[in-house]
Amino acid sequence: MSRWILDALRHIRPKHVFKSILRPKRAIREIKYRYTFTSILNFPVDLLGTTKLRVRELLDELEREKPFVESVYTNLEAHPPSSERWPMTLEAELLYVLIRLIEPEVVVETGVGAGKSSAFILNAMQKNGYGLLYSIDLPNEKDSSGWVIPENLRDRWDLRLGSSRELLGSLLQEKGPIDIFLHDSDHSYGNMMFEFRTVWQFIKRNGLFLAHDVGRNDALFDFCHEVNVSWTRVRTFHVLSGIIKPS
């Protein structure tokens, strides 16, 4: 019996059985995504072929970046985001590790909000001494995009305000091919599929495709089927999923 089946069985309770009878499609989705669940250590190991020792070294490196981490969290506490723009949690630390390992030239993300994930990406790029981050975000009347990003990291950041439907295609035509794509904008099925389909052709072979809040709908599962990428290639930490584009 495989690892993910054993893990799923450990978490099943009578209430889950009852809910699965009432909502079978939702239950199937939960099982599909649970198959991909992994740890912050194993995510880079499984996708990039690095070692746990190297991942631990980079997490320890981030621990020593106290002025950066404290500035991000202090700004978040002083100016909490609006209810629909909550920042990433531990996934931001994983992004730092991934950027340090891959050393990308071009990263594109959709959805910025407070800018926690952007800040961790940019800090890793500063450590690498290499790379640019291109971000697309909808303007917000209350919050300015990326307000937690320290000023000393912004020279590697190109922010474009508008919807991904308006801006993503032209940005990719201008800057592609790209090393990493991160979806963290509107998580509706239609928008996720639009972004996934638009960006896939511009990701380099062996490039990294990332999507946040993937459990909200079947977009990632359907997209993998559409581009003939086996679900066994997907890994998920918390609610951030990743795929390496086949060579």
Side-chain angles (χ1 to χ4, degrees):
M1 189 176 293
S2 66
R3 168 190 60 79
W4 73 271
I5 292 178
L6 290 171
D7 184 61
L9 289 175
R10 281 196 295 268
H11 290 84
I12 289 176
R13 301 291 184 269
K15 64 178 181 180
H16 299 141
V17 176
F18 180 69
K19 287 182 178 180
S20 67
I21 294 172
L22 295 177
R23 303 176 66 185
K25 187 175 181 180
R26 177 64 181 272
I28 292 171
R29 182 196 306 168
E30 291 294 328
I31 291 172
K32 289 187 300 188
Y33 281 111
R34 183 163 292 280
Y35 170 82
T36 69
F37 286 2
T38 189
S39 66
I40 194 170
L41 288 176
N42 286 324
F43 189 106
V45 171
D46 292 346
L47 290 184
L48 305 180
T50 188
T51 65
K52 288 184 180 181
L53 176 60
R54 180 58 179 150
V55 176
R56 288 191 183 97
E57 288 175 348
L58 291 172
L59 289 172
D60 289 343
E61 175 183 275
L62 184 58
E63 281 285 324
R64 294 191 294 272
E65 290 284 304
K66 286 186 177 180
F68 160 73
V69 175
E70 288 177 357
S71 71
V72 170
Y73 282 97
T74 298
N75 282 331
L76 282 172
E77 290 172 2
H79 184 187
S82 56
S83 59
E84 296 180 357
R85 294 168 70 91
W86 287 108
M88 288 189 183
T89 55
L90 292 176
E91 298 97 317
E93 296 180 13
L94 175 59
L95 291 174
Y96 177 90
V97 171
L98 295 171
I99 298 300
R100 290 286 282 125
L101 288 169
I102 296 172
E103 298 186 349
E105 178 181 3
V106 178
V107 177
V108 171
E109 69 168 343
T110 58
V112 177
K116 181 179 178 181
S117 59
S118 308
F120 277 73
I121 290 170
L122 290 166
N123 192 48
M125 285 181 168
Q126 185 182 68
K127 281 286 187 181
N128 291 341
Y130 189 69
L132 296 169
L133 171 64
Y134 297 88
S135 304
I136 295 174
D137 197 37
L138 283 171
N140 186 288
E141 293 182 1
K142 177 184 176 183
D143 305 320
S144 60
S145 300
W147 72 84
V148 303
I149 300 173
E151 286 296 328
N152 68 311
L153 299 179
R154 292 178 177 241
D155 58 341
R156 296 186 181 275
W157 188 40
D158 186 328
L159 172 64
R160 307 196 179 190
L161 295 176
S163 72
S164 61
R165 289 183 181 271
E166 297 171 341
L167 301 178
L168 182 57
S170 59
L171 173 61
L172 293 167
Q173 289 285 352
E174 177 188 347
K175 300 298 179 182
I178 67 174
D179 302 282
I180 300 175
F181 170 71
L182 169 61
H183 159 83
D184 196 18
S185 61
D186 172 30
H187 298 306
S188 66
Y189 180 90
N191 188 65
M192 292 174 80
M193 289 298 285
F194 164 77
E195 291 190 7
F196 297 171
R197 287 167 174 163
T198 301
V199 78
W200 189 250
Q201 63 182 309
F202 290 94
I203 299 176
K204 295 176 182 178
R205 293 179 179 181
N206 295 315
L208 180 59
F209 172 98
L210 297 166
H212 201 241
D213 278 356
V214 289
R216 293 196 180 194
N217 54 57
D218 287 334
L220 182 60
F221 187 79
D222 291 348
F223 178 71
C224 286
H225 179 74
E226 189 175 288
V227 295
N228 198 31
V229 171
S230 171
W231 191 246
T232 61
R233 299 176 68 95
V234 179
R235 290 295 180 270
T236 303
F237 173 64
H238 283 201
V239 293
L240 178 69
S241 285
I243 307 166
I244 293 294
K245 185 176 181 180
S247 59

